[in-house]
Amino acid sequence: AVARWTVLRHAQEQVPDHFPFRSALAQRLVAMGEGNEAERLLLEATEQPNPLPAWLALADYYEGRQELSKARTALEQALAFTPPL
């Protein structure tokens, strides 16, 4: 059987700008103990035209690792891309 992460990686490679594939792959990598690779994928996504979801995902990732300073920085970046109320 093909591992789920293999399918997710393939999907992310085929459609690299589709954040849901990238996010799902990052979550799977974290579950497999490959946090550094997950972080790299999410950081790459912050360079896409709509980086808000990537910054929010990074904030969650950092919070889960108890890297609260990095989580705060990611949230501040996310705020910069949030439309005004």
Side-chain angles (χ1 to χ4, degrees):
V2 177
R4 181 175 181 198
W5 75 270
T6 303
V7 173
L8 288 169
R9 178 166 312 276
H10 179 73
Q12 186 271 319
E13 289 170 353
Q14 294 301 307
V15 192
D17 293 340
H18 187 66
F19 185 74
F21 289 154
R22 186 177 291 263
S23 177
L25 176 58
Q27 290 174 8
R28 178 60 59 182
L29 288 167
V30 168
M32 294 170 45
E34 298 290 334
N36 291 338
E37 177 68 7
E39 180 183 23
R40 184 188 66 75
L41 282 174
L42 295 173
L43 283 169
E44 284 177 359
T46 65
E47 298 173 13
Q48 293 180 354
N50 177 17
L52 178 60
W55 285 118
L56 293 173
L58 270 168
D60 286 343
Y61 168 78
Y62 290 135
E63 185 177 357
R65 293 176 57 113
Q66 297 299 307
E67 295 182 51
L68 301 183
S69 176
K70 287 184 177 183
R72 180 186 172 117
T73 299
L75 287 173
E76 289 169 351
Q77 291 294 324
L79 283 173
F81 293 97
T82 302
L85 298 174

